[in-house]
Amino acid sequence: MNLSGPIFNQRRWLRVMTSVLLCMTMMSCSALSKSGESEPAPQPLKQETQPEALEPPKESTIPAFTAPLTGLPVQQPVLERPLAIMINNAPAARPQAGLSEADMVYEVLAEGGITRLVAFFQSHGGDVKIGPVRSIRPYMIELGETYGALPIHAGGSTDAYAILQQQRKEHLDEISNGGAYFWRSKDRRPPHNLYTDVNRLRQGSESKGYAKQTVVPVYNYLKSGEGSVMGDEDAVSLQIRFLLKSYKVSYTYDPSDQQYKRFVNEKSHVDQNNNKQLSAANVIVMSTRHQTLDDVGRLSVELNGGGEAMVFQQGKLIHAEWQHTPGDAIRFMKNGVEIPLVPGTSYIHVVPADVSLNEHVSVEAKSGIQNQPF
């Protein structure tokens, strides 16, 4: 055999090349093994994270029902006819009972410079003792009718009785038509000891077939947490003088509950029932024309039209005007826009317009007295 022929050389070349390729493959695998490189291991599938559940939107804080004369939230609609109770405010009648349950209170002059309180009860009351109850005047009848209320009184002036009887107005009078719905206490002397309660008065009204419901005008009220934007200046306290220098009513603002605490002659004015100091979310002073009618000092008080007013709320004073047209509530305006009231009890004081309102009201702000004290 020819070992040096071309066929032999070709085969020998193929074997050499095969050996070289085999060596190179082995070297490559060895290098990969040393470097630790290998085919990537299969990774476990990641679980998709679910998005966090969104909280449902919070329900509106607007109450389902509000009391017409306070704007405060109530559980059920307040549909009962308001009661306008004439409350004695002579020194011997203080402290009165039940005023901390009133929705709204007007303070107006009677004879001799002594004021009377016309307290409106609609959303509170029950069997809570209220009084002492006192006599009525024509302008007090008008105040009651302004809010669709049933007047409650013990006696009255000749002119007041003439209006009630000749015009056949619904009313409950301890003297003439409703004695069974009042009682006298033994701890005070007459006439400062006559009392009643809302339950008895509702019974008396029903027994006479009086209207159970009437149209009650509604004020605009600030929403919860809303502040007044109409305030002209700070007012941390105020003092009101009607006629007598011996009688002064004052209020001091408490920012913790946004209430004006009431004082009479610098002493806390409290409710006899619970010893709670009387307070108001809104304190209003309005100036109207007063006229003396006789030697006894009986008055005519103009409640229609309009005039100067001051509105105190949330520690601020708003210089305002009052407006009243028959069939509507007395409303309080600034630059033609009605002032929203703070929800809660309102105390409204009617003073004579013979002098400037600034002479009836002294205001103290954070920086000091804003106008001259009395």
Side-chain angles (χ1 to χ4, degrees):
M1 180 181 291
N2 186 5
L3 298 177
S4 58
I7 295 175
F8 176 80
N9 290 336
Q10 183 179 7
R11 289 178 177 174
R12 183 178 179 185
W13 182 84
L14 287 174
R15 284 197 298 268
V16 170
M17 291 301 297
T18 301
S19 297
V20 169
L21 288 173
L22 181 61
C23 287
M24 291 177 65
T25 300
M26 291 179 65
M27 289 176 65
S28 174
C29 290
S30 175
L32 287 172
S33 177
K34 288 181 181 180
S35 65
E37 294 182 7
S38 61
E39 294 184 6
Q43 299 293 323
L45 295 176
K46 292 184 179 180
Q47 294 183 352
E48 294 185 2
T49 57
Q50 297 295 327
E52 295 183 1
L54 298 176
E55 293 184 3
K58 294 183 178 179
E59 295 183 0
S60 172
T61 57
I62 300 176
F65 306 105
T66 56
L69 297 181
T70 66
L72 291 173
V74 289
Q75 296 296 322
Q76 300 294 333
V78 177
L79 303 175
E80 292 82 3
R81 183 181 188 178
L83 303 170
I85 305 178
M86 311 300 131
I87 303 292
N88 190 347
N89 195 36
R94 296 194 293 262
Q96 298 93 336
L99 285 174
S100 62
E101 300 283 339
D103 289 21
M104 176 182 292
V105 179
Y106 271 84
E107 184 167 10
V108 296
L109 281 165
E111 298 80 35
I114 299 173
T115 65
R116 189 143 302 162
L117 305 176
V118 182
F120 290 83
F121 291 81
Q122 186 188 28
S123 62
H124 301 289
D127 59 357
V128 172
K129 172 181 158 185
I130 301 170
V133 181
R134 205 68 170 90
S135 57
I136 199 167
R137 302 292 179 269
Y139 47 93
M140 299 175 194
I141 297 173
E142 186 176 356
L143 276 176
E145 290 180 337
T146 295
Y147 299 94
L150 179 68
I152 310 297
H153 60 105
S157 66
T158 303
D159 290 342
Y161 267 129
I163 293 171
L164 294 170
Q165 295 170 0
Q166 293 174 12
Q167 299 182 26
R168 298 175 180 265
K169 291 185 179 293
E170 296 181 347
H171 67 109
L172 280 178
D173 175 22
E174 186 266 344
I175 293 176
S176 67
N177 73 350
Y181 308 105
F182 300 80
W183 77 89
R184 290 195 179 272
S185 67
K186 297 180 179 180
D187 59 341
R188 292 179 179 174
R189 294 181 179 180
H192 311 298
N193 64 344
L194 183 67
Y195 296 91
T196 186
D197 62 50
V198 168
N199 286 347
R200 292 177 191 239
L201 296 173
R202 299 280 183 215
Q203 293 171 8
S205 176
E206 185 175 0
S207 72
K208 295 185 177 299
Y210 290 165
K212 294 182 179 180
Q213 298 179 10
T214 54
V215 176
V216 180
V218 177
Y219 285 105
N220 294 328
Y221 292 97
L222 294 172
K223 296 180 177 61
S224 177
E226 189 176 16
S228 174
V229 297
M230 294 186 174
D232 293 311
E233 56 192 72
D234 292 333
V236 297
S237 67
L238 65 141
Q239 190 176 90
I240 305 167
R241 180 172 62 84
F242 285 83
L243 285 180
L244 299 178
K245 292 184 178 180
S246 60
Y247 176 75
K248 294 177 184 177
V249 59
S250 58
Y251 294 86
T252 298
Y253 182 66
D254 184 350
S256 66
D257 59 4
Q258 295 192 333
Q259 296 287 306
Y260 281 92
K261 310 300 184 184
R262 180 177 165 99
F263 298 82
V264 171
N265 293 337
E266 300 181 355
K267 294 183 179 180
S268 297
H269 193 180
V270 301
D271 189 324
Q272 184 189 38
N273 290 339
N274 51 26
N275 205 38
K276 178 181 178 181
Q277 186 172 9
L278 303 179
S279 63
N282 307 281
V283 176
I284 301 172
V285 188
M286 53 183 282
S287 176
T288 72
R289 188 175 66 86
H290 288 53
Q291 181 181 358
T292 303
L293 300 176
D294 53 31
D295 294 338
V296 178
R298 293 186 178 92
L299 298 171
S300 168
V301 178
E302 182 60 62
L303 294 174
N304 288 315
E308 188 180 6
M310 292 181 175
V311 177
F312 298 86
Q313 55 182 216
Q314 297 180 333
K316 298 287 185 180
L317 162 62
I318 304 171
H319 293 283
E321 304 85 34
W322 66 270
Q323 295 180 5
H324 183 224
T325 55
D328 193 15
I330 298 174
R331 300 193 179 273
F332 304 96
M333 318 291 289
K334 183 176 178 64
N335 299 328
V337 178
E338 184 173 359
I339 299 169
L341 299 180
V342 176
T345 303
S346 297
Y347 270 72
I348 304 171
H349 311 76
V350 183
V351 299
D354 54 342
V355 297
S356 167
L357 195 54
N358 283 336
E359 295 189 43
H360 285 288
V361 184
S362 175
V363 182
E364 183 178 350
K366 293 177 182 178
S367 58
I369 298 294
Q370 294 297 297
N371 56 340
Q372 293 299 318
F374 311 120

